[in-house]
Amino acid sequence: MKKEQFNQELLKFLNASPTPFHAVATMAERLQAEGFKRLDESHEWSLKPGGRYFVIRNGSSIVAFSGIKTPMELTGVRLFGAHTDSPCLKLKPQPEIHRKGYLQLGVEVYGGALLNPWFDRDLSIAGRVTCLDSNGNIRNLLIDWQRPVATIPSLAIHLDREANNSRTVNPQTQLPAVLMQVGEDQKVDFRQLLLDRVREEHDAADVVRVLDFELCLYDVQGASLVGMSEQFITSARLDNLLSCYTGMQALLASNGDYPAVLVCNDHEEVGSTSAEGASGPFLRSLLLRLTEEEGRLGQTLSRSVMFSADNAHGIHPNFMDRHDDNHGPVLNQGPVIKVNANQRYATNSVTSSFYRQLSEQLGVPYQVFVVRTDMACGSTIGPLTAAELGVKTLDIGAPQWAMHSIREMCGTDDAYHLFKVSQAFFNTESLPMV
């Protein structure tokens, strides 16, 4: 795949995936189109040697795998992990706020979001709705208004003269989104609006009631190539849908000669502690089903390697003092090996050297990131998965700006370079041993 096609399909994937549910549905559609078969965790599996399969949990996490031909305890597994969730504003269960003739929606902040960029955006609503139909069946349906239906207006500078000096955001009082103007005494039931949308979007006249929902606001401005030479990509959810897409493309492009697994977990931004998060049993239970017994799983993992792919902090030209002088990754100069002495990243010298060797064989650049010693370091699914499975792990990612903003920015070269190395990783016969 050429870089231009890779990036154009990345833009489409980002636009089609406003929520983890939509991201997984989009990935599942692409995998099925390429011959992957969906499995059900609640059923017995009958796998064909060399077959290609995927499993979904909660609609928001997915594991896809291929190349299961020989006993995996002899070959090890090539694992690529990422996460489907991004910081955002999620609607509260009873979100309606009626004030001064306006209907607003109350929100919770999901993850470590930058809040100021959410003001004055054209926002839409998307997510999962759990419904009851006329036959008494409970159905889970995805919805996406796909147009601006809400906004969070800023307060005028005239009413807050210190806004440019010391503006803080109270998420309880200042983030409710304006949905519509109504009569002073008119009360609008948001669940009725949802019901109307479900019926329209899914042509589902038999849906009679909305039982509950998991919905979030998102910016309708689509992903774009930016810059005089179009060297950058700007979009919501680059952290970490860029890595999900990259891992998927690498798996699709792999030759299938060796066991390869792509895992994209939900809930990384809030600690990963859930049934479908990286701290949960999803990946381990799948690998155990493939290896059939604990002993073989242990042997397999001792020969395996995982790439934990999550974007890295590129050095910002306006804030260069926020980086260590020797570890400031630059956009479009290669994926970033992420290192932390306190195990906030799972990289060690073995996995780092393995990645360096693969990159150099391909002629692909790479960089290294270490957080400033006087600053706290973020983390990824890497240490969590390494601790859960006991697998050698590398933390890697494309450098980006504006991490956790409503609109983030990365280079057009870096995800493609990570794709090329990850494809080689899936195809390599020899994995490092300790």
Side-chain angles (χ1 to χ4, degrees):
M1 177 183 288
K2 300 290 187 181
K3 185 184 77 171
E4 291 74 18
Q5 180 187 355
F6 178 90
N7 283 326
Q8 286 299 324
E9 291 193 17
L10 170 59
L11 300 185
K12 293 178 183 177
F13 176 70
L14 292 165
N15 290 336
S17 308
T19 74
F21 303 112
H22 288 84
V24 168
T26 302
M27 295 175 72
E29 182 179 359
R30 177 64 192 279
L31 289 167
Q32 286 179 313
E34 296 292 333
F36 280 72
K37 179 181 178 181
R38 181 170 180 176
L39 301 172
D40 189 325
E41 281 193 281
S42 66
H43 294 173
E44 185 177 351
W45 296 350
S46 178
L47 306 180
K48 297 180 180 179
R52 304 201 289 178
Y53 304 93
F54 69 93
V55 185
I56 293 173
R57 182 175 286 192
N58 187 48
S60 61
S61 292
I62 186 169
V63 180
F65 58 94
S66 66
I68 314 299
K69 299 177 180 178
T70 57
M72 292 194 297
E73 66 267 28
L74 303 180
T75 61
V77 180
R78 293 127 192 87
L79 294 149
F80 186 107
H83 65 88
T84 59
D85 60 321
S86 303
C88 65
L89 302 183
K90 289 196 170 185
L91 300 192
K92 292 182 176 181
Q94 296 175 215
E96 299 95 335
I97 301 172
H98 293 88
R99 290 189 291 207
K100 295 297 182 181
Y102 300 103
L103 172 62
Q104 295 176 268
L105 299 179
V107 297
E108 286 187 283
V109 179
Y110 177 86
L114 274 172
L115 297 182
N116 279 304
W118 280 84
F119 288 86
D120 307 319
R121 299 278 182 166
D122 297 343
L123 303 176
S124 193
I125 301 171
R128 179 171 70 183
V129 181
T130 301
C131 307
L132 187 69
D133 68 22
S134 56
N135 294 318
N137 300 314
I138 294 178
R139 297 163 59 182
N140 293 307
L141 299 171
L142 302 188
I143 66 160
D144 180 2
W145 258 273
Q146 296 184 323
R147 65 178 181 86
V149 295
T151 189
I152 306 171
S154 290
L155 182 64
I157 187 70
H158 314 77
L159 304 178
D160 183 7
R161 295 292 184 178
E162 296 301 311
N164 290 331
N165 298 322
S166 58
R167 185 184 185 187
T168 60
V169 178
N170 183 314
Q172 173 67 23
T173 62
Q174 297 174 353
L175 287 184
V178 176
L179 193 65
M180 60 171 51
Q181 197 165 21
V182 296
E184 189 72 38
D185 299 322
Q186 182 182 356
K187 300 298 182 184
V188 177
D189 182 357
F190 181 66
R191 274 179 164 76
Q192 183 59 50
L193 297 178
L194 275 183
L195 181 60
D196 294 341
R197 179 62 191 178
V198 166
R199 288 171 171 171
E200 176 186 353
E201 189 167 338
H202 292 276
D203 192 22
D206 61 328
V207 172
V208 296
R209 182 184 171 196
V210 170
L211 296 171
D212 215 338
F213 53 84
E214 296 174 66
L215 301 173
C216 68
L217 300 173
Y218 74 93
D219 185 1
V220 297
Q221 184 177 3
S224 300
L225 296 176
V226 171
M228 293 294 288
S229 301
E230 295 190 335
Q231 295 168 303
F232 308 109
I233 295 172
T234 58
S235 176
R237 304 174 298 280
L238 287 173
D239 174 20
N240 190 30
L241 292 186
L242 178 147
S243 298
C244 294
Y245 167 82
T246 299
M248 179 182 68
Q249 292 288 16
L251 182 65
L252 292 174
S254 64
N255 57 29
D257 289 344
Y258 306 102
V261 175
L262 168 68
V263 53
C264 298
N265 291 111
D266 196 2
H267 298 140
E268 189 274 345
E269 297 292 359
V270 292
S272 293
T273 305
S274 67
E276 53 276 359
S279 287
F282 187 25
L283 178 58
R284 190 180 192 282
S285 66
L286 179 136
L287 292 174
L288 186 57
R289 291 182 75 157
L290 296 181
T291 54
E292 297 180 350
E293 59 183 63
E294 285 282 353
R296 289 185 63 200
L297 176 59
Q299 287 180 273
T300 299
L301 291 171
S302 72
R303 294 179 177 271
S304 302
V305 171
M306 179 173 187
F307 283 7
S308 165
D310 203 346
N311 293 357
H313 296 293
I315 189 167
H316 194 307
N318 298 341
F319 301 92
M320 293 190 294
D321 61 332
R322 302 304 173 96
H323 279 73
D324 182 274
D325 289 343
N326 292 333
H327 303 92
V330 177
L331 273 58
N332 287 318
Q333 292 193 14
V336 181
I337 298 170
K338 301 158 76 172
V339 179
N340 182 256
N342 296 302
Q343 292 299 294
R344 299 292 288 169
Y345 303 131
T347 304
N348 62 25
S349 62
V350 174
T351 56
S352 173
S353 298
F354 176 58
Y355 187 89
R356 290 169 186 261
Q357 182 183 31
L358 283 176
S359 294
E360 290 167 5
Q361 288 172 348
L362 294 170
V364 170
Y366 58 84
Q367 305 176 79
V368 180
F369 172 77
V370 176
V371 74
R372 283 178 58 107
T373 310
D374 55 0
M375 294 176 67
C377 183
S379 192
T380 70
I381 67 167
L384 301 174
T385 307
E388 171 66 23
L389 298 180
V391 64
K392 295 179 290 295
T393 301
L394 169 84
D395 268 299
I396 190 76
Q400 73 163 86
W401 293 334
M403 188 176 289
H404 289 194
S405 178
I406 195 172
R407 196 161 182 84
E408 302 170 318
M409 189 170 183
C410 67
T412 53
D413 290 343
D414 298 314
Y416 184 70
H417 285 148
L418 180 57
F419 156 72
K420 298 297 289 185
V421 179
S422 299
Q423 180 187 1
F425 167 53
F426 283 144
N427 290 342
T428 189
E429 178 181 7
S430 179
L431 296 178
M433 296 287 291
V434 178

